[in-house]
Amino acid sequence: MDIQSEIQKIAARLLKNKEVAMVIGYGAGSAPNRTAPVFIDKEKDVGKLVFNRFCVNNLSLYLPRLKEKGKIAIVAKPCDVRTIVCLIQEKQIERDKVHIISFACPGLLEKDGKTLFASCAECAVTLPPVYDTLSGEAKEMERNEPFTDRVADFFSKMPAERWEMFKAEMEKCIRCYACRNACPMCYCEECFVERSLPRWIGEGSEVTDTMIFHIVRAIHTAGRCGECGACARACPMDVNLAPLAKQIREDMLNLFHHQAGVDPNAPAALETFKPDDYNDFIK
Amino acid sequence: MSENPENPYLPRPMRIVRITVESSTRDTRTFELEWVNPEDGRAFLYLPGQFAELSVLGSGEAPISITSSPTQPNLQFCIKRMGVVTTAIHYMKEGDTLGVRGPYGNTFPLDLFKGKNILFIAGGIGLAPLRSVINYMLDDSHRKDYKDITILYGARTPGDLLFKYDLKAWGERPDVAYLETVDRAAAGYAGRVGFVPALLDQTAPKPKDTVAITCGPPIMIKYVLKSLTELGFPPEMIITTLEMRMKCGIGKCGRCNIGKYYVCIDGPVFSYAQLQKMPKEY
Amino acid sequence: MKDKILLKENLVSFGNSLIEQYRLIAPVKSNGFSLYKPVGNASEICLDYLRPLKSAKEIFFPQNETLFFFNKKTQKIAEPAYDKKPTILFGAVACDLAGIAAQDRLFSAGAYLDSYYLKRRRNSILIGMACPEPGEMCFCGFFGIDRFASDIADLFFTPFSDKYYIKVNTEAGARLVESLPDAAAADAKTVERLRCENAEPKWDIPPLDELARMLAEGFEADVWDEIAQKCIGCAACTFVCPTCHCFDITDEAKGEIGRRVRTWDGCMFPKFTLHASGHNPRTKGGQRMRQRILHKFSYFKDNQGVVSCTGCGRCAEICPVNVDIREVLKQLGEACERKS
């Protein structure tokens, strides 16, 4: 059975048995090669659930805001499951209030229907770290050159050149905050960019303000980013946000031996202190 | 094409001539301002109900209703410390300069008020915009245009009653019925205790030939509208002012849009009849 | 005024002849899409894409605009210097020109004229470009927008075979193309045929007048919450929109020196209507979605006489969660149908 049919079957069963109040999944989009989030609370509507290689959103962003509805089932890619794990670690949701419908992920495609998304091409997590039901078979995906090389390439450049690359990328940003709002880990009630007393950064698209927004967001997601790439896919201006996130991922791994969202029983990175933690920055 | 229009976003400088601390918590103050350039003052012609954008360079602008009456020489704004700009204004001293642009918005329907009994119902800082029209009506040149004037005013505590100097003057005038109340009494207070809508119910004013003008916190307005309706006031004879977040003040920035209205140009003064036709988004 | 003809191979030299006297803005290629940008050499002009990713509104109403500079110490304020060189917007598609027409109304409406917008706009020339084929999210035809003409454009280009047919609408436009050959009657016929062949598809949306009634009736309809459930509250839709005009005004200062700046803002941001007191009249996503849709299809029409959606499809195109304005209108129609 294909993944879509399996998801529909699981959703029907969960709703029929009243095991969950709602299933959050992907539905048909309004144009080819697109999907849209759907919220199903009746068994008869499970036919609306689709699965294809355009399921670009990380639906776990809806979990905290819908938790008062009761237990919720969610269709989640393995990378999305990593953010669910982080949300559980950070007490935003409870493990027994979410039913994770996951699958072995074939990777997502760009709207052209051919190109594998960069974040998917680099992804090693084809199976979810935790789940309640699993469908599909894990397949080896085609891979682009490993990402670490791209970061290495960026860091092999002279600082002035790196600055220009970063600035050029930041100048594309229109400060619509689609990246932040598409990110399940950006659940702050009030984001620092919107604070007015004190005001941390200017509101407009001045490039230095934009840089501060992206740098602070990246640092705020250190050790919490499941690398799902939903932020980059949400960006209307195609700003390449991956290098920031990926470098922080590397730092977390190399300096603190922490990988976000792989072990629901492990504490969150910022909650732990080990005597041998990297502390060279304290002088 | 034709020549460039005047820039509507430039604030004109005004000097603070007097700061009056209004509340015992010191978070509400009245700022009396005079124009640095008299020609700016000649261009600033206002009527009760209108507001202005007050500007502190480096902090920004905030829309504040004008609490003085055009029958008075200087402009006065009663400001509660709330956000960035109002906090910055509270840090200012007499002699400091701030920027003003306006006047903006519509005015109280003074023509409708003429020849009628006037009932004011105010709560807290909601008295600030009403004070403008009250002092306008009580001015010798206008008092004859109106019949009985009743003022009901309430605040949370005696210390929160604003404009105490005016309250005293109104209380002493034979041609004004002034009644006040507080939600909670304090030591040394011998007056009325209770909410404003309750005071209104006790007073039970007659709706005949009477216009009610109310301003205060949203919850008070809600119950006042209910009471006035029960007393038989038609919605056209109930006037209130709306508060919305505003930026430009000139109907462009979209922030104070409620239905087809922009509070900054179509308001802030609305009749209850108008409110009933508007989306409840205020 | 006679219509003119320009050979496609002469577009670059025509463009470059304008650059000396005008600030030329045209679609320019920008990694995988195009954007309206100032052009240094007309060879940069790129007409390969359906329409630029962002609308043309920022040419006259930039995302960030300094209203004035100030000195906190001296309390002096100074308006920014203004480049008097007139602007030519070249290659604007009809939906964007309709957007400019809507913004013209707003910024010159009522007792207050927006001097910043108007000084740019009044010092500009608009050159439209026919849009040969609507994109998958486009529905300008629903609003009666003609992809092959625009009244607001000074000149309007329609490509055919190896030429552009130039419809001359104004004297200012005519002066720019004085030296070009006149169009022949046969050319006009060819362009007219092209236009007829590209008749609009049928739309699965209630007609505009019916829609207005439905919107008025459906103000409190639950369907808004349903529609907004997936909305993530970013403002990408409002920022790419040719007509959205909401803005914020803030001060930025470093030491004594600073500027007052106006910046695009959006009604889809939850904090857009937040009062300093903490009160927020629109706390729910459904209320914000309703505001955006009603503002476009009802309030703007009541105040400015036109609907402020041009069917450019950009909001649907870039929405991270596929909120498609056409679907929203359809859903709304269905909900009102169910109710009655």
Side-chain angles (χ1 to χ4, degrees):
Chain A
M1 199 188 293
D2 60 51
I3 295 178
Q4 177 170 312
S5 313
E6 274 190 67
I7 290 172
Q8 291 181 356
K9 215 175 92 187
I10 295 162
R13 191 196 73 214
L14 293 171
L15 287 167
K16 187 178 178 198
N17 298 343
K18 300 204 163 36
E19 285 177 57
V20 298
M22 177 186 267
V23 179
I24 310 175
Y26 300 96
S30 68
N33 297 0
R34 286 168 202 263
T35 60
V38 285
F39 305 83
I40 310 280
D41 54 10
K42 293 182 192 70
E43 189 196 343
K44 69 173 173 55
D45 292 334
V46 295
K48 288 183 185 166
L49 290 164
V50 304
F51 181 78
N52 54 41
R53 297 183 75 182
F54 306 99
C55 296
V56 294
N57 299 117
N58 181 340
L59 302 175
S60 64
L61 81 103
Y62 297 110
L63 286 175
R65 72 183 75 162
L66 290 169
K67 64 183 166 193
E68 78 278 10
K69 292 210 181 284
K71 185 164 180 172
I72 289 174
I74 181 168
V75 178
K77 302 185 288 292
C79 52
D80 303 341
V81 175
R82 289 180 64 190
T83 59
I84 296 176
V85 169
C86 290
L87 289 170
I88 294 167
Q89 286 172 332
E90 296 179 12
K91 313 278 187 285
Q92 294 304 306
I93 52 171
E94 292 171 50
R95 176 64 186 98
D96 56 2
K97 291 285 173 59
V98 54
H99 181 108
I100 303 168
I101 306 173
S102 195
F103 40 81
C105 183
L108 302 178
L109 298 180
E110 306 248 16
K111 285 193 194 101
D112 66 6
K114 296 194 287 274
T115 322
L116 202 57
F117 266 108
S119 55
C120 297
E122 290 149 4
C123 172
V125 190
T126 52
L127 280 172
V130 291
Y131 55 84
D132 295 290
T133 41
L134 182 74
S135 43
E137 270 172 58
K139 283 195 199 99
E140 191 66 22
M141 289 184 292
E142 341 158 17
R143 280 170 202 285
N144 294 353
E145 50 178 310
F147 180 79
T148 41
D149 282 356
R150 279 209 274 165
V151 173
D153 175 52
F154 181 78
F155 281 95
S156 71
K157 301 226 176 344
M158 295 305 285
E161 206 178 335
R162 289 209 299 260
W163 179 251
E164 286 309 315
M165 283 169 76
F166 181 53
K167 197 168 147 231
E169 215 54 48
M170 291 295 104
E171 274 169 350
K172 284 152 63 178
C173 175
I174 56 171
R175 296 279 291 276
C176 68
Y177 300 124
C179 51
R180 178 194 70 184
N181 291 21
C183 174
M185 300 316 293
C186 272
Y187 57 71
C188 287
E189 278 286 312
E190 186 177 39
C191 179
F192 80 100
V193 299
E194 279 142 7
R195 285 200 61 100
S196 55
L197 269 171
R199 186 179 289 286
W200 296 98
I201 60 171
E203 269 195 348
S205 48
E206 283 294 314
V207 72
T208 48
D209 290 328
T210 305
M211 285 173 175
I212 292 172
F213 162 61
H214 286 289
I215 290 169
V216 173
R217 198 182 91 81
I219 291 171
H220 277 180
T221 56
R224 317 163 60 231
C225 166
E227 298 160 68
C228 66
C231 52
R233 291 192 292 273
C235 179
M237 303 310 294
D238 230 2
V239 177
N240 183 10
L241 299 166
L244 267 181
K246 294 282 175 180
Q247 184 56 40
I248 284 176
R249 187 270 312 258
E250 296 291 304
D251 288 348
M252 288 304 294
L253 197 59
N254 297 334
L255 303 175
F256 300 97
H257 316 292
H258 180 89
Q259 220 182 338
V262 290
D263 179 2
N265 298 314
L270 287 171
E271 256 175 50
T272 58
F273 173 75
K274 292 184 213 126
D276 61 341
D277 269 351
Y278 170 76
N279 59 11
D280 282 7
F281 54 89
I282 305 170
K283 296 254 158 77
Chain B
M1 283 194 233
S2 65
E3 69 202 72
N4 285 330
E6 197 190 341
N7 187 336
Y9 296 100
L10 298 181
R12 313 286 169 179
M14 290 195 86
R15 199 175 299 109
I16 301 174
V17 291
R18 196 198 336 244
I19 300 174
T20 310
V21 176
E22 296 285 358
S23 61
S24 56
T25 53
R26 307 181 69 81
D27 69 343
T28 307
R29 297 170 192 213
T30 298
F31 294 80
E32 184 168 335
L33 312 174
E34 68 177 14
W35 294 100
V36 171
N37 307 311
E39 67 270 25
D40 290 338
R42 284 191 286 276
F44 192 100
L45 299 171
Y46 74 100
L47 282 171
Q50 291 191 283
F51 69 97
E53 287 283 350
L54 264 52
S55 158
V56 179
L57 299 180
S59 298
E61 288 184 310
I64 308 283
S65 63
I66 304 169
T67 190
S68 51
S69 155
T71 53
Q72 295 170 316
N74 285 335
L75 273 184
Q76 292 174 8
F77 298 91
C78 180
I79 299 170
K80 187 168 180 176
R81 197 172 64 226
M82 292 295 247
V84 184
V85 179
T86 52
T87 302
I89 295 174
H90 269 247
Y91 276 114
M92 296 181 118
K93 303 179 299 294
E94 287 170 3
D96 286 351
T97 309
L98 50 74
V100 175
R101 57 184 180 93
Y104 293 133
N106 65 356
T107 71
F108 282 107
L110 295 164
D111 287 340
L112 173 78
F113 296 167
K114 272 196 183 147
K116 295 208 175 62
N117 301 311
I118 311 292
L119 169 67
F120 291 101
I121 308 153
I125 199 166
L127 183 59
L130 299 196
R131 177 178 174 253
S132 173
V133 67
I134 293 171
N135 285 335
Y136 177 88
M137 289 179 175
L138 295 183
D139 188 81
D140 290 345
S141 56
H142 299 126
R143 181 62 188 94
K144 61 181 185 320
D145 294 338
Y146 311 96
K147 287 170 37 186
D148 295 348
I149 292 182
T150 308
I151 302 167
L152 311 183
Y153 179 44
R156 269 177 306 181
T157 69
D160 292 315
L161 291 163
L162 309 176
F163 311 112
K164 293 202 175 70
Y165 37 94
D166 276 358
L167 304 183
K168 186 163 173 283
W170 300 339
E172 285 167 357
R173 279 183 74 132
D175 58 347
V176 174
Y178 171 73
L179 301 166
E180 75 182 23
T181 182
V182 296
D183 299 353
R184 289 190 309 275
Y189 176 80
R192 216 175 267 105
V193 179
F195 294 123
V196 171
L199 176 61
L200 173 63
D201 290 341
Q202 288 158 25
T203 317
K206 298 270 179 302
K208 189 172 185 304
D209 285 338
T210 304
V211 187
I213 306 157
T214 182
C215 187
I219 186 75
M220 184 206 90
I221 293 193
K222 188 180 156 190
Y223 285 103
V224 164
L225 292 176
K226 191 166 166 274
S227 293
L228 287 171
T229 306
E230 282 164 10
L231 288 165
F233 280 81
E236 299 75 26
M237 290 296 169
I238 304 173
I239 308 296
T240 187
T241 76
L242 284 186
E243 200 176 309
M244 277 295 270
R245 194 167 172 206
M246 288 177 194
K247 281 290 171 177
C248 72
I250 57 174
K252 313 288 182 209
C253 82
R255 202 169 292 264
C256 67
N257 179 218
I258 307 176
K260 68 175 183 178
Y261 299 106
Y262 283 77
V263 175
C264 68
I265 49 176
D266 303 310
V269 179
F270 291 97
S271 72
Y272 186 34
Q274 283 175 300
L275 286 193
Q276 284 171 329
K277 288 188 204 135
M278 280 161 68
K280 303 285 169 286
E281 288 187 337
Y282 41 83
Chain C
M1 282 170 288
K2 288 209 172 85
D3 290 350
K4 298 284 185 174
I5 291 291
L6 175 71
L7 289 173
K8 281 183 179 168
E9 62 186 44
N10 292 337
L11 179 67
V12 172
S13 58
F14 172 72
N16 281 335
S17 73
L18 303 175
I19 285 173
E20 282 161 34
Q21 284 182 56
Y22 299 91
R23 189 171 73 111
L24 182 65
I25 291 176
V28 169
K29 190 172 177 172
S30 167
N31 56 320
F33 43 82
S34 72
L35 292 169
Y36 291 112
K37 280 196 166 166
V39 169
N41 187 303
S43 60
E44 295 166 37
I45 296 173
C46 170
L47 301 169
D48 299 349
Y49 296 95
L50 175 69
R51 48 163 158 58
L53 187 72
K54 287 201 277 176
S55 81
K57 77 175 168 194
E58 64 187 321
I59 297 161
F60 307 116
F61 172 45
Q63 180 161 9
N64 270 291
E65 165 150 49
T66 301
L67 295 177
F68 54 81
F69 296 98
F70 57 76
N71 182 316
K72 287 199 269 185
K73 201 167 186 171
T74 62
Q75 291 284 313
K76 287 269 180 301
I77 58 178
E79 290 182 69
Y82 163 64
D83 183 3
K84 291 204 170 60
K85 199 172 183 180
T87 294
I88 289 183
L89 168 58
F90 176 83
V93 279
C95 54
D96 277 340
L97 292 166
I100 292 171
Q103 299 237 317
D104 281 354
R105 287 176 185 244
L106 174 92
F107 285 115
S108 55
Y112 303 99
L113 304 178
D114 193 290
S115 54
Y116 295 85
Y117 179 90
L118 291 176
K119 75 180 171 199
R120 284 200 192 85
R121 177 67 184 93
R122 287 174 176 176
N123 196 19
S124 72
I125 291 174
L126 305 179
I127 304 181
M129 178 67 68
C131 172
E133 193 183 357
E136 58 184 17
M137 304 295 215
C138 294
F139 67 129
C140 63
F142 175 72
F143 301 93
I145 290 171
D146 185 343
R147 302 200 316 278
F148 291 83
S150 168
D151 292 340
I152 193 180
D154 296 276
L155 298 171
F156 198 92
F157 281 45
T158 303
F160 71 106
S161 67
D162 59 343
K163 301 175 202 127
Y164 292 105
Y165 184 92
I166 306 175
K167 175 94 177 67
V168 179
N169 284 341
T170 66
E171 292 293 344
R175 279 193 292 275
L176 296 181
V177 291
E178 243 167 10
S179 60
L180 296 180
D182 289 351
D187 296 333
K189 266 189 195 143
T190 310
V191 169
E192 187 52 35
R193 199 171 60 238
L194 211 70
R195 181 176 171 174
C196 296
E197 282 167 6
N198 281 279
E200 291 297 335
K202 286 243 179 298
W203 304 102
D204 200 5
I205 305 169
L208 267 181
D209 44 352
E210 202 178 318
L211 200 62
R213 182 186 57 79
M214 285 175 167
L215 288 168
E217 285 173 5
F219 187 82
E220 301 292 350
D222 298 336
V223 69
W224 293 113
D225 290 330
E226 217 173 284
I227 291 167
Q229 195 165 26
K230 63 182 172 182
C231 172
I232 59 173
C234 72
C237 50
T238 66
F239 284 5
V240 297
C241 175
T243 67
C244 274
H245 57 79
C246 288
F247 59 83
D248 198 359
I249 301 177
T250 51
D251 282 15
E252 292 176 359
K254 194 175 168 189
E256 302 296 340
I257 309 296
R259 61 173 190 150
R260 181 156 294 166
V261 54
R262 79 158 154 201
T263 312
W264 292 353
D265 205 340
C267 59
M268 302 307 283
F269 282 138
K271 291 188 190 298
F272 182 66
T273 47
L274 181 70
H275 294 200
S277 67
H279 173 65
N280 193 343
R282 288 198 280 271
T283 49
K284 284 162 67 189
Q287 295 171 318
R288 295 189 287 271
M289 182 69 71
R290 182 174 68 191
Q291 171 66 15
R292 178 167 149 78
I293 301 297
L294 286 180
H295 189 266
K296 296 210 165 303
F297 289 88
S298 171
Y299 312 154
F300 197 89
K301 188 164 190 286
D302 283 341
N303 287 319
Q304 312 296 351
V306 292
V307 163
S308 70
C309 174
T310 70
C312 75
R314 285 186 178 93
C315 56
E317 184 87 42
I318 55 83
C319 178
V321 288
N322 193 232
V323 174
D324 185 325
I325 192 161
R326 301 167 305 171
E327 302 262 306
V328 171
L329 297 175
K330 210 163 89 183
Q331 258 174 288
L332 217 55
E334 285 163 4
C336 292
E337 202 93 315
R338 274 202 305 275
K339 230 172 97 187
S340 59

